[in-house]
């Protein structure tokens, strides 16, 4: 005769309902941050079309906008670790590049134009906050995965 122990969530899932609420809030925050990132980059893209090498900065802004929009959608709809990792990559990469090009004049490299812009303005500040929020929220999603429920089946 086999005995089954009660099914309990893994400790990393932050337990039942509260864990689901925290993960849901993290998903909404990540998606909101990425949506703001997408909007700002799409809105500003045409202003940066003149900054060119082989690829214009406006084109790079459009690519960022598309990736951020896709990441926002995936983090809400797919709810799997690859989507969370993609969302983290978009938010973290965008934030890193924004800060690099704000503080360092690395010039043009390869097909990419020199994007050094040593000033802060409203859209840049909003994007930094949005990307940071999305990054922190996706770190939470990646670190605190729902636990696998297991049964302890004892041999006869």
């Amino acid at each position: 005769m086999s005995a089954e122990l009660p099914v309990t969530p893994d400790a990393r899932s932050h337990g039942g309902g509260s864990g689901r609420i925290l993960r849901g809030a993290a998903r909404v925050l990540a998606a909101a941050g990425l949506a703001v990132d997408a909007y700002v980059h799409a809105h500003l893209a045409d202003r940066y079309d003149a900054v060119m090498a082989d690829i214009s900065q406006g084109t790079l802004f459009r690519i960022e906008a598309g990736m951020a929009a896709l990441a926002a959608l995936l983090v809400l709809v797919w709810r799997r670790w690859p989507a969370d990792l993609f969302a983290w990559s978009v938010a973290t990469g965008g934030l890193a590049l924004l800060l690099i090009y704000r503080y360092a004049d690395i010039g043009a490299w390869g097909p990419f134009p020199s994007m050094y812009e040593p000033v802060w303005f409203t859209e840049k500040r909003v994007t930094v906050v949005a990307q940071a929020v999305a990054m922190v929220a996706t770190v939470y999603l990646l670190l605190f995965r729902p636990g696998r429920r297991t049964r302890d089946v004892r041999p006869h």
Side-chain angles (χ1 to χ4, degrees):
M1 202 161 147
S2 68
E4 293 181 17
L5 294 179
V7 176
T8 58
D10 183 87
R12 294 183 328 158
S13 72
H14 286 213
S18 66
R20 278 191 295 266
I21 291 169
L22 287 173
R23 288 187 60 74
R27 288 195 181 286
V28 169
L29 284 172
L34 289 159
V36 169
D37 177 21
Y39 172 78
V40 172
H41 278 87
H43 177 71
L44 294 177
D46 63 336
R47 298 180 194 174
Y48 289 92
D49 282 334
V51 180
M52 293 203 63
D54 290 339
I55 299 172
S56 78
Q57 188 172 349
T59 299
L60 294 172
F61 271 39
R62 288 178 187 91
I63 292 169
E64 171 69 15
M67 290 176 53
L70 176 60
L73 181 64
L74 287 175
V75 84
L76 286 175
V77 175
W78 194 23
R79 298 182 179 205
R80 301 284 188 270
W81 72 265
D84 298 341
L85 183 61
F86 178 68
W88 175 84
S89 300
V90 171
T92 304
L95 179 60
L97 288 172
L98 186 151
L99 293 173
I100 288 168
Y101 283 115
R102 164 57 180 90
Y103 293 108
D105 185 359
I106 61 173
W109 50 280
F112 304 105
S114 175
M115 295 187 283
Y116 178 60
E117 188 174 44
V119 296
W120 286 106
F121 52 92
T122 302
E123 291 93 341
K124 191 180 279 190
R125 286 186 188 101
V126 167
T127 302
V128 164
V129 171
Q131 289 172 328
V133 166
M135 182 183 70
V136 170
T138 54
V139 164
Y140 177 84
L141 292 171
L142 289 166
L143 290 179
F144 298 103
R145 308 296 312 160
R148 293 188 60 182
R149 294 174 184 248
T150 59
R151 295 184 304 180
D152 182 15
V153 179
R154 296 183 185 171
H156 301 312

